[in-house]
């Protein structure tokens, strides 16, 4: 990818845009006024169509999401080509209230050029190809023509179809891109993300819950978070009753499982607000229904719901880190670029699960950087260990094989990095953690580490990877703490300590 900083003049003042290059300091951006509209600045950057956007004559841009965090505005844009959505054409512009453009993150590495938008393959044939990816099909969602602009590859016209059913691995909601010229499958994206890993819960104990009263009936529905409720997975019915007392502490009870799950979701929402300034899991005051009763040693998020399964003892696995992890996939999904890719999605969700567990400070499920230790999924203890991934058979250190590994195994280096960033190699009250390069890292605490991670997620594009997360976390630290290099240097030291090397054009401090 070309990484060339540039400056452009626009009506609202002098701003700067770059592709994967941080922009800061008076030489790169001149403040306009303390009351400048940061979104308007971002819009003006995009309207000026700098070279960093890789924009061709047929490209257009539409602002999709805007997030505010720690005084910065993250405006995410989607691209169209001749009116068709471009998968891999998204970008994020970071601006501040002084009118400076701090950073521009662009997924696309080259212009689309000339591309016919007339398909040679029929839509029905493309749908049939998509359905062939399944053992059984229960439904087909909408199909649309799109342009696929995968990084480093020529753009192609494609049909995109999402199919529901069962694959060789189990329940699936699969998005399939079929080449509209040849009928070949270009790519698939699994939307089901797994963690194979007053009420009385069996895990979290006696807890307070925010419930909804309608007439004389209470329900396990959050009164202030759109779509957040806990339901019986067999019927998709919200648990209800007349006394507003829930669960019996028995792990095989679905209602008890829902007590634990709703408690986690509400604690996580509070963490997102207090630590990150985020409004709910989806960023706009909402979340997703949580359904307890999946007949599997598993839990998943699929873009529409959270499904909670059971351990081998038949107890529902609604712990702080498991439910926090699954909701974390939703948070990842509802930040720019969608679900993280390149082997990073599980470590991203694990960091959010860890932050949820830390914030809750529940004595029944102490903060410990282990994943699933309370649920004992298959009778062998935790699913993953963030301070030492090798304890679960995963790698502590990044290598060229990491991105192609099974997604949960690929989480090892990222989890190790986050632990070192938060707790340091000494552990600071948690277990000591050996580094891959023999260095010592001093941690910043989990709140600061989570803030850096989240603000890196706000820089995310659809071409995310481990290498880009190194760049984005460094840029996030630089954006959040401009007066000091301490946090920036710790982010870098932690990545070096898990053997993820420096990237071309990464920020400096």
């Amino acid at each position: 990818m070309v990484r060339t900083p540039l400056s452009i003049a626009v009506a609202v003042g002098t701003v700067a845009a770059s592709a994967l290059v941080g922009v800061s300091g008076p030489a790169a951006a001149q403040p306009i006024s303390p009351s400048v509209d940061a979104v308007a600045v971002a819009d003006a950057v995009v309207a000026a169509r700098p070279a960093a956007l890789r924009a061709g004559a047929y490209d257009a841009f539409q602002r999709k999401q805007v997030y505010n965090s720690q005084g910065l505005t993250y405006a995410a844009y989607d691209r169209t080509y001749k009116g068709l959505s471009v998968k891999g054409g998204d970008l994020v512009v970071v601006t501040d209230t002084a009118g400076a453009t701090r950073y521009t993150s662009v997924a696309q590495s080259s212009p689309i050029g000339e591309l016919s938008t007339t398909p040679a393959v029929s839509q029905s044939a493309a749908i049939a190809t998509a359905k062939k990816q399944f053992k059984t099909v229960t439904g087909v969602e909408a199909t649309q023509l799109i342009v696929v602009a995968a990084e480093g590859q020529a753009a192609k016209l494609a049909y995109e179809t999402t199919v529901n059913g069962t694959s060789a691995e189990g329940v699936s909601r699969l998005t399939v891109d079929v080449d509209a010229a040849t009928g070949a499958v270009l790519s698939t994206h699994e939307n089901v993300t797994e963690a194979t890993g007053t009420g009385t819960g069996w895990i979290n104990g006696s807890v307070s819950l925010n419930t909804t009263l309608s007439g004389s009936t209470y329900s396990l529905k959050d009164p202030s978070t759109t779509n957040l409720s806990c339901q019986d997975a067999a019927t998709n019915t919200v648990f209800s009753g007349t006394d507003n007392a829930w669960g019996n502490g028995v792990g095989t009870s679905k209602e008890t499982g829902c007590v634990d799950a709703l408690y986690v979701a509400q604690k996580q929402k509070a963490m997102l607000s207090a630590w990150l300034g985020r409004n709910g899991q989806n960023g706009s005051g909402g979340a997703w229904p949580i359904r307890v009763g999946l007949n599997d040693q598993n839990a998943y998020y699929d873009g529409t719901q959270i499904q909670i399964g059971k351990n081998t003892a038949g107890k529902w696995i609604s712990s702080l880190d498991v439910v926090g992890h699954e909701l974390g996939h939703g948070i990842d999904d509802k930040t720019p670029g969608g679900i993280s890719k390149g082997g990073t999605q599980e470590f991203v969700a694990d960091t959010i699960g860890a932050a949820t567990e830390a914030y809750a400070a529940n004595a029944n499920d102490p903060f410990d950087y282990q994943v699933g230790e309370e649920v004992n999924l298959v009778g062998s203890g935790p699913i993953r260990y963030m301070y030492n991934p090798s304890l679960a058979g995963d790698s502590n250190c990044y290598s060229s094989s990491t991105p192609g590994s099974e997604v949960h195994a690929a989480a090892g280096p990222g989890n190790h990095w986050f632990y070192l960033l938060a707790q340091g190699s000494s552990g600071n009250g948690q277990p000591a953690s050996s580094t891959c390069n023999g260095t010592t890292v001093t941690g910043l605490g989990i709140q600061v580490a989570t803030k850096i991670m989240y603000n890196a997620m706000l820089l995310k594009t659809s071409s995310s990877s481990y290498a880009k997360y190194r760049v984005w976390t460094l840029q996030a630290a630089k954006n959040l703490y401009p007066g000091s290099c301490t946090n920036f240097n710790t982010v870098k030291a932690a990545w070096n300590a898990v053997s993820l090397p420096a990237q071309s054009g990464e920020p400096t401090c």
Side-chain angles (χ1 to χ4, degrees):
M1 176 178 291
V2 178
R3 298 174 174 89
T4 306
L6 66 152
S7 296
I8 56 174
V10 295
V12 296
T14 302
V15 296
S18 66
L20 293 177
V21 175
V23 180
S24 62
Q30 299 171 6
I32 302 166
S33 73
S35 59
V36 72
D37 184 339
V39 176
V41 172
D43 284 346
V45 170
V46 174
R49 301 167 73 88
L53 271 58
R54 282 78 165 157
Y58 303 109
D59 291 12
F61 300 92
Q62 180 178 15
R63 179 164 25 90
K64 182 181 179 184
Q65 302 162 307
V66 175
Y67 297 101
N68 296 301
S69 178
Q70 312 301 315
L72 298 174
T73 297
Y74 298 78
Y77 297 82
D78 283 345
R79 183 188 311 250
T80 61
Y81 177 85
K82 297 182 179 179
L84 299 179
S85 295
V86 178
K87 188 171 187 174
D90 52 304
L91 60 123
V92 181
V93 180
V94 187
T95 52
D96 62 27
T97 55
T101 302
R102 294 286 191 91
Y103 192 73
T104 303
S105 183
V106 182
Q108 199 166 298
S109 56
S110 60
I112 292 172
E114 292 289 334
L115 179 68
S116 171
T117 56
T118 301
V121 174
S122 69
Q123 178 173 303
S124 59
I127 293 173
T129 298
K131 292 168 70 174
K132 288 178 181 177
Q133 311 307 307
F134 278 70
K135 291 168 56 179
T136 58
V137 175
T138 58
V140 177
E141 299 179 22
T143 298
Q144 62 176 341
L145 270 177
I146 65 169
V147 173
V148 175
E151 188 174 12
Q153 300 179 27
K156 295 181 179 180
L157 184 69
Y159 286 103
E160 183 167 85
T161 303
T162 298
V163 186
N164 293 276
T166 305
S167 69
E169 286 74 38
V171 175
S172 178
R173 181 171 177 259
L174 192 71
T175 298
V176 184
D177 293 337
V178 174
D179 193 317
T182 67
V185 175
L186 292 176
S187 66
T188 61
H189 173 70
E190 179 57 75
N191 297 286
V192 172
T193 53
E194 302 176 347
T196 306
T198 62
T200 305
W202 79 275
I203 297 172
N204 296 306
S206 296
V207 296
S208 297
L209 300 171
N210 295 322
T211 59
T212 297
L213 176 63
S214 178
S216 59
T217 302
Y218 295 93
S219 63
L220 287 181
K221 179 180 179 181
D222 190 292
S224 62
T225 308
T226 305
N227 290 330
L228 177 58
S229 62
C230 199
Q231 306 173 1
D232 185 332
T235 60
N236 291 354
T237 301
V238 179
F239 283 93
S240 61
T242 58
D243 59 4
N244 209 19
W246 309 94
N248 57 11
V250 177
T252 54
S253 159
K254 290 183 183 179
E255 183 178 306
T256 298
C258 265
V259 168
D260 283 321
L262 188 60
Y263 164 80
V264 175
Q266 291 177 345
K267 283 295 185 183
Q268 185 182 77
K269 181 185 178 183
M271 181 276 291
L272 293 172
S273 176
W275 286 8
L276 306 175
R278 184 178 175 91
N279 182 17
Q281 280 84 355
N282 71 357
S284 57
W288 308 271
I290 303 172
R291 292 167 176 147
V292 173
L294 176 67
N295 187 26
D296 196 3
Q297 278 73 58
N298 198 4
Y300 67 79
Y301 163 84
D302 70 0
T304 66
Q305 62 176 332
I306 309 291
Q307 283 272 349
I308 301 297
K310 57 190 177 182
N311 64 14
T312 49
K315 297 180 179 181
W316 306 109
I317 57 174
S318 307
S319 65
L320 279 158
D321 48 14
V322 170
V323 177
H325 171 107
E326 297 307 333
L327 288 166
H329 282 307
I331 295 166
D332 189 23
D333 198 13
K334 294 302 180 182
T335 50
I339 294 285
S340 295
K341 301 174 181 65
T344 63
Q345 68 186 56
E346 296 301 321
F347 107 73
V348 170
D350 278 349
T351 66
I352 297 171
T356 302
E357 189 174 89
Y359 181 86
N362 186 307
N364 294 292
D365 186 359
F367 172 42
D368 54 18
Y369 291 99
Q370 298 175 4
V371 181
E373 76 286 350
E374 297 294 335
V375 304
N376 196 18
L377 187 66
V378 294
S380 58
I383 303 166
R384 287 185 292 282
Y385 301 80
M386 299 179 76
Y387 53 87
N388 186 358
S390 66
L391 292 176
D394 303 328
S395 178
N396 289 9
C397 309
Y398 182 84
S399 72
S400 59
S401 65
T402 299
S405 303
E406 189 276 330
V407 290
H408 299 91
N415 279 343
H416 192 196
W417 165 80
F418 185 78
Y419 185 83
L420 292 170
L421 181 65
Q423 300 300 134
S425 50
S426 72
N428 193 26
Q430 297 281 350
S433 180
S434 299
T435 59
C436 304
N437 61 355
T439 59
T440 297
V441 178
T442 301
L444 303 175
I446 191 166
Q447 186 170 347
V448 172
T450 301
K451 190 179 296 184
I452 291 170
M453 184 67 202
Y454 174 68
N455 280 265
M457 292 167 67
L458 296 181
L459 296 171
K460 174 165 51 73
T461 66
S462 58
S463 62
S464 51
S465 65
Y466 260 102
K468 289 186 177 179
Y469 262 113
R470 174 175 168 126
V471 175
W472 292 331
T473 52
L474 286 169
Q475 185 63 42
K478 186 171 182 175
N479 287 345
L480 291 170
Y481 308 100
S484 170
C485 293
T486 299
N487 293 353
F488 178 95
N489 289 336
T490 303
V491 172
K492 178 183 286 189
W495 282 124
N496 292 342
V498 300
S499 301
L500 182 64
Q503 302 299 303
S504 175
E506 71 177 33
T508 59
C509 185

